[in-house]
Amino acid sequence: QRQMCIRDSYEVSAKDTLKLFLKIPLILLIFCSQIYAQLPGAEKFAKTITQKELKEHLYIYASDEFEGRETGSEGQKKAVNYIRDFYIKNKIKPGDPDSDYFQPMTLNIRRGNMGDVETENVISIIKGTDFPDEYVVITAHLDHVGYGNNGGSRGDFKGEVHNGADDDGSGSVAILEIAQAFKKAENKGKGPRRSMVFLHVSGEEKGLLGSKYYSENPIYPMENTVTNLNIDMIGRIDPTRKGENRNYVYIIGSDHDSQDLHNLSEKTNSETINMEFDYRFNAKDDPNRFYYRSDHYNFARFGIPIIFYFSGTHEDYHMPTDDPDKIEYDLLESRTRLIFHTAWNIANRDERIVVDPKEKPFEIEVDKLVDYSGTYGIENFPLELVVYTKNNKLYMDVMGQESFELNAVGVDKFKLEEAGVELKFNIEESSLRFKQGPFERDLKKLK
């Protein structure tokens, strides 16, 4: 009887083979619709990001009450409390070990000779359902330049509140709306498969100090950080940009460390917001150096794939006139929704973002580093460099204001990528050749 059943089954399936193949396109269509069913889900929560709410947040966050949010100031403390209270209200969990949403820091701020300043990053998290120990980090800087008294203003406007609505109030409120959208999804049983970390960093205007502190003292392991999406100034239109399409965003860094991330970014945009991606500033050697000028860089230098979302500078950049009434709120909404969609796809796909293979860095003997150390300059010329070693690495102080790590690229050759600086040491002559763009000078070791 068992043999009879098998034979009959075979005869039936052989008889219906043609019909089965004719049904395959319909089966594939049903299967594909199930795959793309995630997109309507994401779209539903993306629509909770509205220009109305973005505007309400920004008119508070970039008001005179917050006094320009200079790092360590009373106004900046109001800003971090505003962010913390938002996460508490929306029941989004704190992301720090003390569960108070703050990562406290003492930053030594050389710009404006401010010295040691007590400040904090703000961090919250929505834990992943399937890969809780893999992290997608979204960043924006919560600080601005205060009253412009410490070298932050572009003009003679010291003593006037610089509200920083676009820089980076726009990114700060965008993160709040993105976090809220992910939380609403979690409340509906559609929590992210990977953990979403919402990180508001301080000290960006003082040299990316808050993100540098986090990258060197991470709350979540950098090796388990899948991607960093950084938002800095996405609320305006660049007046120097050519083209009539106002529905654009500058994309920087998406293909620098991961072609996989770049492809996901492009595909997500084409299937959702479909705005124009402008790669005008994407090159690492672009003269504007935007790749090195925002907080994503402190993730990228650890090999973490990043995307920097940016809409360009304008006449109100670092001026008292960077106010909420200048923001293009429809564009702020669409750009924020785009970032949400991209984060959603990174967090919910099966595989983590693939990092491209890295070129092996040039190796230099540690014992030789001390030979480069010293103070270099030119008599009667306002350029003095202090080169020193620390933790078996070579560093350079510029005019006592900034400290940078130098990367070896050849025999006696080093680069400072952030500033486009090249150094060529001549140990026998106790000198170095300094080059930055078209500017070149031979500097002698003074001591």
Side-chain angles (χ1 to χ4, degrees):
Q1 185 177 2
R2 181 172 180 273
Q3 289 177 340
M4 179 72 71
C5 290
I6 292 174
R7 189 189 67 224
D8 290 347
S9 176
Y10 172 78
E11 288 175 353
V12 170
S13 54
K15 181 179 179 181
D16 293 342
T17 296
L18 180 60
K19 292 181 179 179
L20 179 62
F21 275 107
L22 290 174
K23 290 180 180 179
I24 284 176
L26 179 59
I27 293 170
L28 287 175
L29 181 62
I30 295 171
F31 179 69
C32 288
S33 69
Q34 290 173 342
I35 289 176
Y36 289 103
Q38 291 184 67
L39 192 57
E43 182 65 26
K44 174 183 177 181
F45 299 111
K47 285 182 178 179
T48 68
I49 299 170
T50 65
Q51 53 182 301
K52 178 178 181 292
E53 291 187 2
L54 289 162
K55 187 174 185 178
E56 288 174 355
H57 284 306
L58 196 52
Y59 264 85
I60 297 171
Y61 194 78
S63 67
D64 287 353
E65 180 186 354
F66 288 69
E67 301 179 275
R69 309 185 303 278
E70 182 165 31
T71 301
S73 70
E74 185 178 340
Q76 187 245 288
K77 302 298 181 183
K78 291 180 180 179
V80 300
N81 289 338
Y82 183 85
I83 295 168
R84 177 203 59 196
D85 292 347
F86 173 87
Y87 288 123
I88 293 173
K89 179 181 178 181
N90 285 273
K91 298 181 180 180
I92 302 172
K93 293 180 179 179
D96 64 298
D98 296 330
S99 297
D100 64 359
Y101 295 91
F102 296 152
Q103 182 186 32
M105 309 171 287
T106 301
L107 301 179
N108 182 259
I109 300 178
R110 297 188 176 190
R111 294 184 183 179
N113 297 314
M114 292 178 67
D116 288 345
V117 172
E118 301 294 329
T119 186
E120 52 279 302
N121 295 326
V122 186
I123 185 166
S124 65
I125 187 170
I126 297 177
K127 293 290 285 186
T129 57
D130 297 358
F131 310 105
D133 296 325
E134 294 182 11
Y135 305 95
V136 181
V137 180
I138 305 183
T139 51
H141 69 90
L142 61 89
D143 63 304
H144 193 50
V145 301
Y147 289 92
N149 294 329
N150 294 299
S153 181
R154 284 198 303 115
D156 187 19
F157 298 101
K158 292 182 179 180
E160 296 185 38
V161 177
H162 292 55
N163 283 320
D166 194 24
D167 185 16
D168 185 27
S170 60
S172 298
V173 301
I175 289 189
L176 299 182
E177 285 291 288
I178 291 169
Q180 187 181 61
F182 270 105
K183 181 62 180 177
K184 288 180 177 179
E186 182 186 49
N187 292 341
K188 295 292 185 180
K190 297 182 180 294
R193 299 179 70 192
R194 290 178 177 81
S195 294
M196 291 299 310
V197 177
F198 309 101
L199 177 61
H200 302 256
V201 295
S202 187
E204 191 271 352
E205 300 289 3
K206 309 302 182 184
L208 315 185
L209 298 183
S211 57
K212 183 175 187 291
Y213 184 89
Y214 179 87
S215 69
E216 295 173 354
N217 305 273
I219 293 175
Y220 303 104
M222 297 296 275
E223 61 268 23
N224 292 341
T225 300
V226 173
T227 307
N228 168 235
L229 305 179
N230 183 45
I231 316 170
D232 195 350
M233 299 178 63
I234 60 165
R236 299 279 295 269
I237 295 174
D238 183 351
T240 69
R241 185 174 178 273
K242 297 179 180 178
E244 296 181 359
N245 184 6
R246 62 190 293 274
N247 188 32
Y248 78 95
V249 68
Y250 292 128
I251 299 290
I252 299 173
S254 64
D255 61 350
H256 288 189
D257 294 293
S258 173
Q259 188 63 40
D260 186 26
L261 176 61
H262 177 77
N263 294 343
L264 180 146
S265 169
E266 286 277 350
K267 191 170 190 295
T268 299
N269 179 50
S270 66
E271 293 178 349
T272 57
I273 307 301
N274 199 28
M275 69 171 54
E276 181 179 342
F277 276 4
D278 192 326
Y279 293 96
R280 170 183 174 186
F281 301 118
N282 184 50
K284 288 185 178 181
D285 60 354
D286 180 80
N288 295 280
R289 317 297 297 174
F290 286 128
Y291 175 69
Y292 305 97
R293 288 172 55 183
S294 192
D295 294 296
H296 59 275
Y297 181 68
N298 282 315
F299 289 84
R301 67 190 183 96
F302 281 88
I304 295 169
I306 66 93
I307 303 177
F308 173 25
Y309 298 92
F310 177 54
S311 58
T313 58
H314 40 73
E315 64 274 9
D316 300 306
Y317 173 68
H318 279 208
M319 296 283 280
T321 49
D322 183 7
D323 290 324
D325 61 339
K326 305 284 182 65
I327 298 297
E328 309 268 357
Y329 286 96
D330 60 331
L331 295 180
L332 180 56
E333 176 189 273
S334 60
R335 290 163 180 163
T336 304
R337 288 183 178 184
L338 167 72
I339 299 164
F340 168 79
H341 278 295
T342 305
W344 177 282
N345 286 342
I346 294 169
N348 288 307
R349 72 182 209 160
D350 291 336
E351 303 83 15
R352 66 182 284 169
I353 291 294
V354 178
V355 181
D356 296 339
K358 298 288 189 300
E359 292 184 11
K360 188 176 180 181
F362 183 84
E363 295 183 1
I364 190 168
E365 297 177 11
V366 173
D367 293 342
K368 193 176 181 181
L369 292 179
V370 70
D371 295 334
Y372 304 122
S373 298
T375 300
Y376 296 83
I378 305 174
E379 290 186 9
N380 301 319
F381 189 80
L383 177 62
E384 186 173 284
L385 310 178
V386 179
V387 179
Y388 62 97
T389 61
K390 184 176 73 172
N391 299 328
N392 295 327
K393 295 180 179 179
L394 198 66
Y395 289 83
M396 178 179 71
D397 279 4
V398 182
M399 306 301 292
Q401 292 295 311
E402 301 288 347
S403 182
F404 302 96
E405 182 183 343
L406 299 173
N407 299 309
V409 294
V411 178
D412 298 332
K413 294 181 180 179
F414 292 81
K415 276 189 175 183
L416 173 56
E417 294 285 356
E418 296 97 316
V421 170
E422 299 176 16
L423 302 177
K424 176 71 167 67
F425 289 89
N426 189 322
I427 295 174
E428 293 181 357
E429 297 184 4
S430 297
S431 66
L432 68 80
R433 182 74 171 174
F434 177 95
K435 183 177 187 300
Q436 185 178 35
F439 177 82
E440 290 189 62
R441 284 292 188 278
D442 287 316
L443 308 182
K444 287 289 186 179
K445 185 181 284 190
L446 303 177
K447 55 183 177 179

